[in-house]
Amino acid sequence: MSTTTPHRERPKRAAGPAASGVAPGGAHTKNPATNARHSQRWLAWIFLAPTILGMGLFTLIPIVASVVLAFFRWDIISAPTFVGFDNFSEVVQDPTVRVSFLNTIVFVVVAVALQLGLALALAIMVQEKMPAWLRVFFRSAFFFPLILSAASVSIFMRYLFNEQFGVVNWFLSLVGIPAVPWLTTPGGSAAVVILVYVWQNFGFSFLLFIGGLASIPVETYEAAAIDGATGWRKHLHVTLPLLSPTTLVASVMAIISALQVFDQPYVLTRGGPGDSTRTAVMVIFESAFQRLEFGQASAIGVLLTLIIMAITAAQFRLSKRFVFYQ
Amino acid sequence: MTTTTDHGLAGHSPRLSEGLPETSPNRRRFSWAFPIRIALLVIAAALTLGPVMWTLSTSLRSPSESFKLPPSFIPWNPDFTSYGEVFQQLNIFLLVLNSALVTGLIAVGQMVSAALAGYAFAHLKFRGRGALFSIVLATMMVPVQVTIVPVFMLIRGMGLSDTLLALILPAIPTAFGTFLMRQYFMGLPAELAEAASIDGASPWRTFRSVYAPLAMPGMAIVGILAFNFHWNEFFRPLILTISEQNFTLPLGLVSLQGNLGTGSISVVLAGVVLSMIPALVVFMFGQRALQDGLTAGTGK
């Protein structure tokens, strides 16, 4: 398919330069250029076809379909019926949906704060003076959990947080803390979901901060040292302001991914006990694929997307005030 | 990393990815800052690697000993019975085959389609290029969960439900890969195309013989990223596959855990360790590429 264009173009192109090559002057440069532009246009669309067709089919049409579907009641078996805003009003009043959105917000705030704080502190510590091999070791260690699947991480973490024979409680017992019922109480399981999520994902923010720190010119620190800024004050007055663009990117990405958390609570707790670890995405999954309420699931999805868009927009707006560009 | 900062401005590059050259060291008295910092980092690394060490070690205990405390972090006398047990309880060959097939085809599909589209956006001129690229970028912001219901129906409509193709096809068009490849091709000089066209090469030949070979490292990043993400993917396979013969590894492991309850930790963990091996191999050989890919486009 992609070979047809060059074949069709080749005789023209071959004739172009050859013909104009004999005649001196302006035609010499004009002809091949127009030919190239013409065949470029064809080639561009052929090159783009797999990506554009695929995205149209599997992303753009589904987005539109999802919004439309949110106004219908449909269980796949019977014909869809138009219900206006009923899905939205039912969803907004559904206590499970409400709790799941609230859980998601609490999760995002706590997990993202922990993730960014930990990543920033570790990135600053790793970038200071130490042997190169040690730095490589620490970087690899913090990066490592990113390559594991959230499902398998959640499987072994479930054992580590087991109340009777879990390693976490065994360590706590060494310092005299009685066994914590991690996965059987609402607070405990919420904490486990957050800890496991942060454990797996802080490495990503860490990498971003490492990149940001490496781009701060040394001269800035030299100037700060002359002004008498050392130790923590150096980081407070130099590193943090200069790192603010990186922090913006890191927080936007961390928030977007935390809003979509599913694997960890699904494998660790199945949303329980009660609804304590049920997240927005879990409710979408359950209403669509367990209760076959596709319209309601779409409505929840649309609401979640609106929230993500609003938060992202707000972040960029806020960042105009707090982000300092060099 | 032995840079001293007291001399000249031009002596060293401030943007070394190896990190900041140190600011003037405090030579006057012994400082606790260094040992404390290293100790904190060691604790953080132990917390990061510890759970994985424990998983490996416990999978190498005999099933009857897997509950025992104190926990072991180093497998002193490994016992491989749990690994044999996994192969009996779980059709692990089929799971690995499914995962490899799905992940491999997605990776190759993404590498090819992203390279083609990235080249078009970087070096070919056509109407609506800027607008189309913005649309492609915008699709990165859409969470999978929003499109999963219509995608599920589309797959059903195409008669592909509960097949591996249902996992592969929707994952091939990649906004991030296209973006990455565009950046990569923009880094290659446009003069190469001019030189090739003076030599009489068609635009297609210019891409195939000049740009595509030079873009291999970029394509490798796209492939490694695709591999890492889809090998570990859980949400889409959970929805798009129904029968166990179409499960991928993460689904199989979660179902294994469900079947066994708390019966035998070491068997489940042996499965977990087996599923980590390909990820570990990628980590060892492609760590640099993975890091660059994950953070690509996020800098200034």
Coordinates of all heavy atoms in Angstrom, one line a residue, chain B residues 57-133:
Chain B
S57 N 12.7 -14.6 48.5 CA 13.2 -15.5 49.5 C 12.1 -16.5 49.9 O 12.3 -17.7 50.1 CB 13.7 -14.7 50.7 OG 14.2 -15.6 51.6
T58 N 10.9 -15.9 50.1 CA 9.7 -16.7 50.6 C 9.3 -17.7 49.5 O 8.9 -18.9 49.8 CB 8.6 -15.9 51.0 OG1 9.1 -14.9 52.0 CG2 7.5 -16.7 51.6
S59 N 9.4 -17.3 48.2 CA 9.1 -18.3 47.2 C 10.0 -19.5 47.1 O 9.7 -20.5 46.6 CB 9.1 -17.6 45.8 OG 10.4 -17.3 45.4
L60 N 11.2 -19.3 47.7 CA 12.2 -20.4 47.8 C 12.2 -21.2 49.1 O 13.0 -22.0 49.3 CB 13.6 -19.8 47.5 CG 13.8 -19.3 46.1 CD1 15.1 -18.5 46.0 CD2 13.9 -20.4 45.1
R61 N 11.1 -20.9 49.9 CA 10.9 -21.7 51.1 C 10.0 -22.9 50.7 O 9.3 -22.8 49.7 CB 10.3 -20.9 52.2 CG 11.2 -20.0 52.9 CD 10.5 -19.2 53.9 NE 11.4 -18.6 54.9 CZ 10.9 -18.2 56.1 NH1 9.7 -18.3 56.4 NH2 11.8 -17.7 57.0
S62 N 10.0 -23.9 51.5 CA 9.0 -25.0 51.2 C 7.6 -24.5 51.6 O 7.5 -23.6 52.5 CB 9.4 -26.2 52.1 OG 9.1 -26.0 53.4
P63 N 6.6 -24.9 50.9 CA 5.2 -24.4 51.2 C 4.9 -24.4 52.7 O 4.2 -23.5 53.2 CB 4.3 -25.3 50.4 CG 5.2 -25.8 49.2 CD 6.6 -25.9 49.8
S64 N 5.3 -25.4 53.4 CA 4.9 -25.5 54.8 C 5.6 -24.5 55.7 O 5.2 -24.2 56.8 CB 5.2 -26.9 55.3 OG 6.5 -27.2 55.2
E65 N 6.7 -24.0 55.2 CA 7.5 -23.1 56.0 C 7.2 -21.6 55.6 O 7.8 -20.7 56.2 CB 9.0 -23.3 55.8 CG 9.5 -24.5 56.6 CD 11.0 -24.5 56.8 OE1 11.7 -23.8 56.0 OE2 11.5 -25.1 57.7
S66 N 6.3 -21.4 54.6 CA 6.2 -20.1 54.1 C 5.6 -19.1 55.1 O 5.8 -17.9 55.0 CB 5.4 -20.1 52.8 OG 4.2 -20.8 53.0
F67 N 4.9 -19.6 56.1 CA 4.3 -18.7 57.1 C 5.3 -18.3 58.2 O 5.0 -17.4 59.0 CB 3.2 -19.4 57.9 CG 1.9 -19.5 57.0 CD1 1.6 -20.6 56.3 CD2 1.0 -18.5 57.0 CE1 0.5 -20.7 55.6 CE2 -0.1 -18.5 56.2 CZ -0.4 -19.7 55.5
K68 N 6.4 -19.0 58.3 CA 7.3 -18.8 59.5 C 7.8 -17.4 59.7 O 8.3 -16.8 58.8 CB 8.4 -19.9 59.5 CG 8.0 -21.2 60.0 CD 9.2 -22.1 60.3 CE 8.7 -23.4 60.9 NZ 9.8 -24.4 60.8
L69 N 7.8 -17.0 60.9 CA 8.5 -15.8 61.3 C 9.7 -16.2 62.2 O 9.6 -17.2 62.9 CB 7.5 -14.9 62.1 CG 6.4 -14.3 61.2 CD1 5.4 -13.6 62.1 CD2 7.0 -13.3 60.2
P70 N 10.7 -15.5 62.3 CA 11.0 -14.2 61.6 C 11.1 -14.4 60.1 O 11.5 -15.5 59.7 CB 12.4 -13.8 62.2 CG 13.0 -15.1 62.7 CD 11.9 -15.9 63.2
P71 N 10.8 -13.4 59.4 CA 10.9 -13.5 57.9 C 12.3 -13.7 57.4 O 13.3 -13.3 58.1 CB 10.4 -12.1 57.5 CG 10.6 -11.2 58.6 CD 10.5 -12.0 59.8
S72 N 12.5 -14.3 56.3 CA 13.8 -14.4 55.7 C 13.9 -13.5 54.5 O 13.0 -13.4 53.7 CB 14.1 -15.8 55.3 OG 13.4 -16.1 54.1
F73 N 15.1 -12.8 54.4 CA 15.3 -12.0 53.2 C 16.3 -12.5 52.2 O 16.4 -12.1 51.1 CB 15.7 -10.6 53.7 CG 14.5 -9.8 54.3 CD1 14.3 -9.9 55.7 CD2 13.6 -9.1 53.6 CE1 13.3 -9.2 56.3 CE2 12.6 -8.5 54.1 CZ 12.4 -8.5 55.5
I74 N 17.1 -13.5 52.7 CA 18.1 -14.1 51.9 C 17.8 -15.6 51.9 O 17.7 -16.2 52.9 CB 19.5 -13.8 52.4 CG1 19.8 -12.3 52.4 CG2 20.6 -14.5 51.6 CD1 20.9 -11.8 53.3
P75 N 17.6 -16.2 50.7 CA 17.3 -17.6 50.6 C 18.6 -18.5 50.9 O 19.3 -18.8 49.9 CB 16.8 -17.8 49.1 CG 17.4 -16.6 48.4 CD 17.7 -15.5 49.4
W76 N 18.8 -18.8 52.1 CA 20.0 -19.6 52.5 C 20.0 -21.0 51.9 O 20.9 -21.4 51.3 CB 20.2 -19.7 54.0 CG 20.5 -18.3 54.6 CD1 19.7 -17.6 55.5 CD2 21.6 -17.5 54.4 NE1 20.2 -16.4 55.8 CE2 21.4 -16.3 55.1 CE3 22.7 -17.6 53.6 CZ2 22.3 -15.2 55.1 CZ3 23.7 -16.5 53.6 CH2 23.5 -15.4 54.3
N77 N 18.9 -21.7 52.1 CA 18.8 -23.1 51.5 C 17.5 -23.1 50.6 O 16.5 -23.5 51.1 CB 18.9 -24.2 52.4 CG 18.3 -23.9 53.8 OD1 17.7 -22.8 53.9 ND2 18.4 -24.8 54.7
P78 N 17.7 -22.7 49.4 CA 16.5 -22.7 48.5 C 15.8 -24.0 48.3 O 16.4 -25.0 48.1 CB 17.0 -22.1 47.2 CG 18.5 -22.4 47.2 CD 18.9 -22.3 48.7
D79 N 14.5 -23.9 48.2 CA 13.6 -25.1 48.0 C 12.7 -24.8 46.8 O 12.0 -23.8 46.9 CB 12.8 -25.4 49.3 CG 11.8 -26.5 49.1 OD1 11.2 -26.6 48.1 OD2 11.7 -27.3 50.1
F80 N 12.8 -25.5 45.7 CA 12.1 -25.1 44.5 C 10.7 -25.8 44.4 O 10.1 -25.6 43.3 CB 13.0 -25.4 43.3 CG 14.1 -24.5 43.2 CD1 15.4 -24.8 43.7 CD2 14.0 -23.2 42.5 CE1 16.5 -23.9 43.7 CE2 15.1 -22.3 42.4 CZ 16.3 -22.7 43.0
T81 N 10.2 -26.4 45.4 CA 9.0 -27.2 45.2 C 7.8 -26.2 44.9 O 6.9 -26.6 44.1 CB 8.6 -27.9 46.5 OG1 8.8 -27.1 47.6 CG2 9.4 -29.2 46.7
S82 N 7.8 -25.0 45.4 CA 6.8 -24.0 45.1 C 6.7 -23.7 43.6 O 5.6 -23.6 43.0 CB 6.9 -22.8 45.9 OG 6.9 -23.0 47.2
Y83 N 7.9 -23.7 43.0 CA 7.9 -23.4 41.5 C 7.3 -24.6 40.7 O 6.5 -24.3 39.8 CB 9.3 -23.1 41.1 CG 9.8 -21.7 41.5 CD1 10.3 -21.5 42.8 CD2 9.7 -20.7 40.7 CE1 10.6 -20.3 43.2 CE2 10.0 -19.4 41.1 CZ 10.5 -19.2 42.4 OH 10.8 -17.9 42.8
G84 N 7.6 -25.8 41.2 CA 6.9 -27.0 40.5 C 5.4 -26.9 40.7 O 4.6 -27.1 39.8
E85 N 5.0 -26.5 41.9 CA 3.6 -26.4 42.3 C 2.9 -25.4 41.4 O 1.8 -25.6 40.9 CB 3.5 -26.0 43.7 CG 2.1 -26.2 44.3 CD 1.7 -27.6 44.6 OE1 2.6 -28.5 44.4 OE2 0.6 -27.8 44.9
V86 N 3.5 -24.2 41.1 CA 2.9 -23.2 40.3 C 2.6 -23.8 38.9 O 1.5 -23.5 38.4 CB 3.9 -22.0 40.1 CG1 3.2 -21.0 39.1 CG2 4.1 -21.3 41.4
F87 N 3.5 -24.6 38.4 CA 3.3 -25.1 37.0 C 2.1 -26.1 37.0 O 1.5 -26.3 36.0 CB 4.6 -25.8 36.5 CG 5.6 -24.8 36.1 CD1 6.6 -24.3 36.9 CD2 5.6 -24.3 34.8 CE1 7.5 -23.4 36.5 CE2 6.5 -23.4 34.3 CZ 7.5 -22.9 35.2
Q88 N 1.9 -26.7 38.2 CA 0.7 -27.6 38.3 C -0.6 -26.9 38.4 O -1.6 -27.3 37.8 CB 0.9 -28.6 39.5 CG 2.0 -29.6 39.2 CD 2.0 -30.7 40.2 OE1 1.5 -30.6 41.3 NE2 2.5 -31.9 39.8
Q89 N -0.6 -25.8 39.3 CA -1.8 -25.1 39.6 C -2.3 -24.2 38.4 O -3.4 -23.8 38.3 CB -1.6 -24.3 40.8 CG -1.1 -25.1 42.0 CD -2.1 -25.0 43.2 OE1 -3.1 -24.3 43.1 NE2 -1.8 -25.7 44.2
L90 N -1.3 -23.7 37.7 CA -1.5 -22.7 36.7 C -0.9 -23.1 35.4 O 0.2 -23.6 35.4 CB -0.9 -21.4 37.3 CG -1.4 -20.0 36.9 CD1 -2.8 -19.9 37.4 CD2 -0.5 -19.0 37.6
N91 N -1.6 -22.8 34.3 CA -1.0 -23.1 33.0 C -0.1 -22.0 32.7 O -0.4 -21.1 31.8 CB -2.1 -23.3 32.0 CG -1.6 -24.0 30.7 OD1 -0.4 -24.0 30.5 ND2 -2.5 -24.5 29.9
I92 N 1.1 -22.0 33.4 CA 1.9 -20.8 33.3 C 2.5 -20.6 31.9 O 2.7 -19.5 31.4 CB 3.0 -20.9 34.4 CG1 3.6 -19.5 34.6 CG2 4.1 -21.8 34.0 CD1 3.5 -19.1 36.1
F93 N 2.7 -21.8 31.2 CA 3.2 -21.6 29.8 C 2.3 -20.8 28.9 O 2.7 -20.0 28.2 CB 3.5 -23.0 29.2 CG 4.6 -23.7 29.8 CD1 4.5 -24.9 30.5 CD2 5.9 -23.2 29.6 CE1 5.6 -25.5 31.1 CE2 7.0 -23.8 30.1 CZ 6.8 -25.0 30.9
L94 N 1.0 -21.2 29.1 CA 0.0 -20.5 28.3 C -0.1 -19.0 28.7 O -0.2 -18.1 27.8 CB -1.4 -21.1 28.5 CG -2.5 -20.6 27.6 CD1 -2.2 -21.0 26.1 CD2 -3.9 -21.1 28.0
L95 N 0.0 -18.7 30.0 CA -0.1 -17.3 30.4 C 1.1 -16.5 29.9 O 1.0 -15.4 29.4 CB -0.1 -17.3 32.0 CG -1.3 -17.7 32.7 CD1 -1.1 -17.7 34.2 CD2 -2.5 -16.9 32.3
V96 N 2.3 -17.1 30.0 CA 3.5 -16.5 29.5 C 3.4 -16.3 28.0 O 3.7 -15.2 27.4 CB 4.8 -17.2 29.8 CG1 6.0 -16.7 29.1 CG2 5.0 -17.2 31.3
L97 N 2.9 -17.3 27.3 CA 2.8 -17.2 25.8 C 1.8 -16.1 25.5 O 2.1 -15.3 24.6 CB 2.2 -18.6 25.3 CG 2.3 -18.7 23.8 CD1 3.7 -18.9 23.3 CD2 1.4 -19.9 23.3
N98 N 0.6 -16.1 26.2 CA -0.3 -15.0 25.9 C 0.3 -13.6 26.2 O 0.1 -12.7 25.3 CB -1.6 -15.2 26.8 CG -2.5 -16.3 26.3 OD1 -2.3 -16.7 25.2 ND2 -3.4 -16.7 27.1
S99 N 0.9 -13.5 27.3 CA 1.5 -12.2 27.7 C 2.5 -11.8 26.6 O 2.6 -10.6 26.2 CB 2.1 -12.2 29.1 OG 1.2 -11.9 30.0
A100 N 3.4 -12.8 26.3 CA 4.5 -12.4 25.3 C 3.9 -12.1 24.0 O 4.3 -11.1 23.3 CB 5.4 -13.7 25.2
L101 N 2.9 -12.8 23.5 CA 2.2 -12.5 22.2 C 1.6 -11.1 22.3 O 1.9 -10.3 21.4 CB 1.2 -13.6 22.0 CG 0.9 -13.9 20.5 CD1 2.1 -14.5 19.9 CD2 -0.3 -14.9 20.5
V102 N 0.8 -10.9 23.3 CA 0.1 -9.6 23.4 C 1.1 -8.4 23.5 O 1.1 -7.5 22.7 CB -0.9 -9.5 24.6 CG1 -1.4 -8.1 24.9 CG2 -2.0 -10.5 24.3
T103 N 2.1 -8.6 24.4 CA 3.0 -7.5 24.7 C 3.9 -7.3 23.5 O 4.2 -6.2 23.0 CB 3.9 -7.8 25.9 OG1 3.0 -8.3 26.9 CG2 4.6 -6.6 26.4
G104 N 4.4 -8.4 22.9 CA 5.3 -8.3 21.7 C 4.7 -7.6 20.5 O 5.2 -6.7 19.9
L105 N 3.4 -8.1 20.2 CA 2.8 -7.5 19.0 C 2.4 -6.0 19.3 O 2.5 -5.2 18.4 CB 1.5 -8.3 18.7 CG 1.8 -9.6 18.0 CD1 0.5 -10.4 17.8 CD2 2.5 -9.4 16.7
I106 N 2.0 -5.7 20.5 CA 1.8 -4.2 20.8 C 3.1 -3.4 20.7 O 3.1 -2.4 20.0 CB 1.2 -4.1 22.2 CG1 -0.2 -4.6 22.3 CG2 1.2 -2.6 22.6 CD1 -0.8 -4.6 23.7
A107 N 4.2 -4.0 21.2 CA 5.4 -3.2 21.1 C 5.9 -3.0 19.7 O 6.2 -1.9 19.3 CB 6.5 -4.0 21.9
V108 N 5.8 -4.1 18.9 CA 6.2 -3.9 17.5 C 5.3 -3.0 16.8 O 5.7 -2.1 16.0 CB 6.2 -5.3 16.8 CG1 6.5 -5.1 15.3 CG2 7.4 -6.2 17.4
G109 N 4.0 -3.2 17.0 CA 3.0 -2.3 16.4 C 3.2 -0.8 16.7 O 3.1 0.1 15.9
Q110 N 3.5 -0.6 18.0 CA 3.7 0.8 18.4 C 5.0 1.4 17.8 O 5.0 2.5 17.4 CB 3.8 0.9 20.0 CG 2.5 0.8 20.7 CD 2.5 1.3 22.1 OE1 3.5 1.8 22.5 NE2 1.4 1.2 22.8
M111 N 6.0 0.6 17.8 CA 7.3 1.0 17.2 C 7.1 1.5 15.8 O 7.5 2.5 15.4 CB 8.4 -0.1 17.3 CG 8.9 -0.2 18.7 SD 9.8 -1.8 18.9 CE 11.3 -1.5 18.1
V112 N 6.4 0.6 15.0 CA 6.3 0.9 13.6 C 5.3 2.1 13.4 O 5.7 3.1 12.7 CB 5.7 -0.3 12.8 CG1 5.4 0.0 11.4 CG2 6.8 -1.4 12.9
S113 N 4.1 2.1 14.0 CA 3.2 3.1 13.8 C 3.6 4.5 14.3 O 3.4 5.5 13.7 CB 1.8 2.8 14.4 OG 1.8 2.7 15.8
A114 N 4.3 4.4 15.5 CA 4.8 5.7 16.1 C 6.0 6.3 15.3 O 6.1 7.5 15.1 CB 5.3 5.5 17.5
A115 N 6.8 5.4 14.7 CA 7.9 5.9 13.9 C 7.4 6.6 12.6 O 7.8 7.7 12.3 CB 8.9 4.7 13.5
L116 N 6.4 5.9 12.0 CA 5.8 6.5 10.8 C 5.1 7.8 11.1 O 5.4 8.8 10.4 CB 4.8 5.5 10.2 CG 5.3 4.2 9.6 CD1 4.2 3.3 9.2 CD2 6.2 4.5 8.3
A117 N 4.3 7.8 12.1 CA 3.6 9.1 12.4 C 4.5 10.1 12.9 O 4.4 11.3 12.5 CB 2.5 8.8 13.4
G118 N 5.5 9.8 13.7 CA 6.4 10.7 14.3 C 7.2 11.4 13.1 O 7.5 12.6 13.2
Y119 N 7.6 10.6 12.2 CA 8.4 11.1 11.0 C 7.5 12.1 10.2 O 8.0 13.2 9.9 CB 8.9 10.0 10.1 CG 9.7 10.5 8.9 CD1 11.0 10.9 9.1 CD2 9.1 10.5 7.7 CE1 11.7 11.4 8.0 CE2 9.9 11.0 6.6 CZ 11.2 11.4 6.8 OH 11.9 11.9 5.7
A120 N 6.2 11.7 10.0 CA 5.3 12.6 9.3 C 5.2 14.0 10.0 O 5.3 15.0 9.4 CB 4.0 12.0 9.1
F121 N 5.0 13.9 11.3 CA 4.8 15.1 12.1 C 6.1 16.0 12.1 O 6.1 17.2 12.2 CB 4.4 14.9 13.5 CG 2.9 14.6 13.6 CD1 2.4 13.4 14.1 CD2 1.9 15.5 13.1 CE1 1.1 13.1 14.2 CE2 0.6 15.2 13.1 CZ 0.2 14.0 13.7
A122 N 7.3 15.3 12.1 CA 8.5 16.0 12.2 C 9.0 16.6 10.9 O 9.5 17.7 10.8 CB 9.6 15.1 12.8
H123 N 9.0 15.8 9.8 CA 9.7 16.2 8.6 C 8.9 16.3 7.3 O 9.4 16.8 6.3 CB 10.8 15.2 8.3 CG 12.0 15.4 9.3 ND1 12.7 16.6 9.4 CD2 12.6 14.5 10.1 CE1 13.6 16.4 10.3 NE2 13.6 15.2 10.8
L124 N 7.6 15.9 7.4 CA 6.8 16.0 6.2 C 5.8 17.2 6.3 O 5.4 17.5 7.4 CB 6.0 14.7 5.9 CG 6.8 13.5 5.7 CD1 5.9 12.3 5.4 CD2 7.8 13.6 4.5
K125 N 5.6 17.9 5.2 CA 4.7 19.0 5.3 C 3.3 18.7 4.7 O 3.3 18.1 3.6 CB 5.3 20.2 4.5 CG 6.5 20.8 5.2 CD 7.1 22.0 4.4 CE 8.3 22.5 5.1 NZ 9.4 21.5 5.1
F126 N 2.3 18.9 5.4 CA 0.9 18.7 4.9 C 0.0 19.6 5.7 O 0.3 20.1 6.7 CB 0.5 17.2 5.1 CG 0.6 16.7 6.5 CD1 -0.5 16.7 7.3 CD2 1.8 16.2 7.0 CE1 -0.5 16.2 8.6 CE2 1.8 15.7 8.3 CZ 0.7 15.8 9.1
R127 N -1.2 19.8 5.1 CA -2.1 20.7 5.6 C -2.7 20.2 7.0 O -3.0 19.0 7.0 CB -3.3 21.0 4.7 CG -4.0 22.3 4.9 CD -4.9 22.6 3.8 NE -4.3 22.7 2.5 CZ -4.9 22.4 1.3 NH1 -6.1 22.0 1.3 NH2 -4.2 22.6 0.2
G128 N -2.8 21.0 8.0 CA -3.4 20.6 9.2 C -2.5 19.8 10.1 O -2.9 19.2 11.1
R129 N -1.2 20.0 9.9 CA -0.2 19.2 10.7 C -0.3 19.6 12.2 O -0.4 18.7 13.0 CB 1.2 19.4 10.1 CG 2.2 18.7 10.8 CD 3.5 18.7 10.1 NE 4.3 19.9 10.2 CZ 5.6 20.1 9.9 NH1 6.2 19.1 9.5 NH2 6.1 21.2 10.1
G130 N -0.2 20.9 12.4 CA -0.2 21.4 13.8 C -1.5 20.9 14.5 O -1.4 20.4 15.7
A131 N -2.6 21.1 13.9 CA -3.9 20.8 14.6 C -4.0 19.3 14.8 O -4.4 18.9 16.0 CB -5.1 21.2 13.7
L132 N -3.6 18.5 13.9 CA -3.7 17.0 14.0 C -2.8 16.6 15.2 O -3.1 15.7 16.0 CB -3.3 16.4 12.7 CG -3.8 14.9 12.5 CD1 -5.3 14.9 12.6 CD2 -3.3 14.4 11.2
F133 N -1.6 17.2 15.3 CA -0.6 16.8 16.3 C -1.2 17.2 17.7 O -1.1 16.4 18.6 CB 0.7 17.5 16.1 CG 1.8 17.0 17.0 CD1 2.2 15.7 17.0 CD2 2.4 17.9 17.9 CE1 3.1 15.2 17.9 CE2 3.3 17.4 18.8 CZ 3.7 16.1 18.8

